[in-house]
């Protein structure tokens, strides 16, 4: 487990310069599309259970996932991104976040983490955002990286360390590839790490239950259905709504949830907050494209 901090903590200006120089050199060798599609595909073929896709998320899905960082209160935000992959969501976040905000990126795949460490845009914005990259599983937080300076942390009884709390969590984990108990632990952890009223986004591909039944057999199909039922229960209790990214490959539904114990007013969160519906609003199944969008994810 390693944590790299860009622009704060133990990383020196020379370290940041070295990262930026490496990123520039790599950018010069990279194709216009960044070559990320090939990297993503190779890792998907090698570790599909943890990657969960064959291509990075498209712009429509990226925009839906990063809504809480754009519809924001007028104060600094602390954002956690889990499962960053090659960084398409990360780069969107560094463009919309402001100086003084904090971004903590958790990516367990070492090859993806290396891609993020050598990204020129992330290195350039790292100082302003207190950007940190932890190469570990989210389940290992907060032990896989030091908490950010200042308040906003709380005591983690599991490790004795002060766990940072986040206003926004963006999850790219492929939940339907995991066991139900593991998904439950991760969702509980997300709610625990969020500040009261903090917001969580994650996504699911459409039609995955039918595909799982055709390709994996009854046992994996039953596991998949159990995960979907678990996600629906969390969405019924904490959900603000969802949005379908039809142009994504494959089409996907982004979900927006809010942690209990607080709220962001419509003025703070933006005019579409009211359109998203109240917590507990029904959300159409991610496996039923005909269900449409239950409520806008702003």
């Amino acid at each position: 487990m390693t944590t790299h901090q860009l622009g704060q903590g133990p990383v020196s200006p020379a370290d940041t310069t070295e990262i930026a120089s490496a990123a520039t050199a790599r950018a010069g060798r990279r194709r216009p599309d960044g070559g990320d599609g090939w990297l993503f595909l190779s890792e998907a073929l090698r570790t599909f259970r943890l990657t969960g896709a064959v291509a990075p998320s498209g712009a429509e899905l990226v925009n839906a996932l990063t809504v809480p960082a754009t519809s924001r209160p007028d104060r600094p935000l602390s954002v956690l991104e889990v499962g960053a992959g090659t960084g398409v969501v990360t780069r969107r976040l560094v463009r919309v976040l402001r100086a003084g905000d904090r971004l903590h990126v958790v990516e367990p795949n070492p090859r993806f983490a290396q891609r993020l460490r050598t990204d020129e845009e992330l290195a350039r914005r790292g100082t302003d955002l207190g950007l940190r990259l932890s190469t570990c599983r989210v389940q290992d937080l907060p032990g896989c990286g030091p908490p950010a300076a200042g308040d906003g942390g709380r005591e983690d009884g599991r490790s004795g360390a002060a766990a940072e709390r986040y206003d926004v969590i963006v999850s790219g984990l492929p939940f339907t590839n995991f066991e139900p108990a593991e998904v439950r632990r991760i969702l509980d952890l997300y709610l625990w790490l969020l500040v009261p009223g903090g917001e969580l986004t994650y996504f699911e591909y459409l039609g995955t239950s039918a595909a799982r039944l055709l390709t994996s057999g009854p046992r994996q199909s039953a596991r998949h259905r159990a995960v979907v039922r678990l996600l629906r229960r969390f969405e019924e209790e904490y959900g603000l709504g969802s949005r379908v990214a039809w142009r994504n490959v494959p089409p996907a539904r982004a979900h927006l949830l809010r942690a209990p114990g607080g709220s962001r007013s419509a003025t703070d969160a933006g005019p579409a907050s009211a359109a998203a519906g109240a917590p507990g609003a029904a959300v159409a199944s991610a496996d039923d494209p005909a269900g449409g969008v239950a409520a806008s994810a702003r």
Side-chain angles (χ1 to χ4, degrees):
M1 296 181 296
T2 57
T3 295
H4 297 261
Q5 301 190 36
L6 305 185
Q8 66 172 30
V11 177
S12 67
D15 293 329
T16 304
T17 301
E18 182 179 353
I19 292 169
S21 298
T24 302
R26 282 175 61 103
R29 299 193 300 270
R30 217 174 261 141
R31 292 167 29 205
D33 64 359
D36 288 347
W38 289 110
L39 172 60
F40 204 100
L41 178 59
S42 68
E43 290 304 290
L45 294 174
R46 190 175 68 88
T47 59
F48 184 75
R49 178 182 177 274
L50 298 178
T51 305
V54 295
S57 298
E60 186 181 12
L61 180 57
V62 169
N63 288 339
L65 290 171
T66 55
V67 159
T70 57
S71 300
R72 53 174 293 155
D74 189 20
R75 59 173 176 78
L77 287 180
S78 180
V79 179
L80 172 67
E81 183 192 1
V82 180
T86 55
V88 291
V89 172
T90 316
R91 287 187 285 276
R92 170 65 174 162
L93 286 170
V94 301
R95 291 167 193 154
V96 301
L97 293 176
R98 305 170 184 170
D101 292 340
R102 294 179 297 186
L103 176 59
H104 185 184
V105 179
V106 174
E107 173 48 61
N109 183 306
R111 292 189 67 191
F112 287 154
Q114 179 62 19
R115 167 68 182 92
L116 297 170
R117 281 194 292 271
T118 57
D119 186 281
E120 183 178 11
E121 185 172 8
L122 301 187
R124 185 174 63 251
R125 289 281 286 144
T127 300
D128 290 341
L129 299 178
L131 177 60
R132 291 184 291 153
L133 171 61
S134 296
T135 309
C136 67
R137 305 182 311 156
V138 67
Q139 298 94 311
D140 296 324
L141 289 176
C144 69
D151 56 12
R154 58 176 161 182
E155 190 70 15
D156 177 4
R158 296 165 298 179
S159 66
E164 182 177 358
R165 302 177 73 183
Y166 301 94
D167 299 289
V168 175
I169 297 178
V170 180
S171 177
L173 296 182
F175 285 136
T176 54
N177 282 5
F178 299 165
E179 294 295 326
E182 187 176 13
V183 175
R184 177 61 187 259
R185 285 193 296 270
I186 293 172
L187 290 174
D188 284 340
L189 176 62
Y190 285 163
L191 293 176
W192 188 84
L193 289 170
L194 284 168
V195 300
E199 294 180 349
L200 161 68
T201 59
Y202 59 84
F203 71 94
E204 300 171 274
Y205 293 121
L206 301 183
T208 54
S209 287
R212 188 77 62 174
L213 179 60
L214 292 172
T215 60
S216 302
R219 184 173 180 178
Q220 285 300 314
S221 180
R223 179 200 57 76
H224 182 279
R225 288 195 303 270
V227 170
V228 171
R229 287 195 299 269
L230 175 63
L231 292 172
R232 296 296 86 81
R233 289 198 295 270
F234 269 81
E235 289 150 15
E236 287 170 3
E237 185 168 0
Y238 305 107
L240 295 177
S242 65
R243 176 187 296 172
V244 176
W246 293 110
R247 292 189 294 274
N248 198 69
V249 181
R253 187 186 300 274
H255 294 276
L256 175 64
L257 280 65
R258 177 173 291 163
S263 64
R264 290 165 66 181
S265 69
T267 300
D268 286 340
S273 176
V283 179
S285 170
D287 292 301
D288 180 15
V293 180
S296 169
R298 298 186 300 176

